[in-house]
Amino acid sequence: MSSTAANCFAVVLATACTFGYAPTASATETRSEAVVVARLYKDFGWQAFATQQELFGKDISHQGEAVLKRYFTPALTDLLMKDAACQIKYQGICNLDADILFDSQDPRLVDLDVQTVGSGKVSVTFKDPVTGERTQIDFDMSRVLGTWKIADIIYPAHENLSLRKLLSKKVQ
């Protein structure tokens, strides 16, 4: 090995050691169920503190397919896309009548907590700052190509209403 190659190898090795390089782990493999749900709230939870859609963008249920696929299984992505298309076609509400992240049309919250509660199960809880009412929303997760994705959202306050079942209803 030439001295230039040896020097380059030494620099690469030192850099890898400095930054804790782990060649067998990737970011998508190490993401837990809770991290996926927390990221969804981080990216689309703005509605709980702002009303300016023109500045922040559309809510999660009105995103394009590529964005939805980052968080949801293909089956749930397809159902969300169909409901959005229905809303455009009929120029109104189809199956979704509330924000899926907050179980509310006008979300406001404090004390958001995201916890893995079992394999493939994540629970989100938060409190309404005005009424003090606590809300819980449960996420059923599935692995898709090694990455956790949301397969369904359950709303315990509504007799365990399932987002997947709600979106599967035929529109009148």
Side-chain angles (χ1 to χ4, degrees), residues 65-126:
E65 186 175 13
V67 172
L68 294 174
K69 283 182 176 182
R70 288 184 211 155
Y71 307 97
F72 302 102
T73 61
L76 194 52
T77 295
D78 185 54
L79 289 171
L80 287 164
M81 293 295 297
K82 286 179 180 174
D83 194 73
C86 176
Q87 289 179 25
I88 291 168
K89 180 178 178 181
Y90 293 108
Q91 297 181 1
I93 296 169
C94 288
N95 288 317
L96 286 182
D97 192 21
D99 188 294
I100 65 175
L101 298 183
F102 304 106
D103 189 21
S104 173
Q105 291 177 339
D106 299 310
R108 58 183 184 232
L109 63 101
V110 294
D111 301 332
L112 179 73
D113 186 46
V114 180
Q115 295 290 323
T116 300
V117 294
S119 182
K121 304 285 183 192
V122 174
S123 183
V124 171
T125 58
F126 51 86

Side-chain angles (χ1 to χ4, degrees), residues 1-69:
M1 186 184 305
S2 73
S3 67
T4 303
N7 286 341
C8 287
F9 178 74
V11 169
V12 170
L13 182 60
T15 303
C17 291
T18 301
F19 292 105
Y21 175 70
T24 58
S26 74
T28 56
E29 292 171 337
T30 59
R31 288 176 59 182
S32 74
E33 300 101 308
V35 170
V36 174
V37 174
R39 181 60 187 227
L40 178 64
Y41 277 88
K42 180 180 178 186
D43 293 345
F44 294 98
W46 61 265
Q47 295 154 297
F49 61 86
T51 57
Q52 296 172 295
Q53 183 175 341
E54 66 277 3
L55 292 178
F56 292 98
K58 295 179 181 178
D59 65 273
I60 187 62
S61 62
H62 292 96
Q63 294 296 315
E65 186 175 13
V67 172
L68 294 174
K69 283 182 176 182

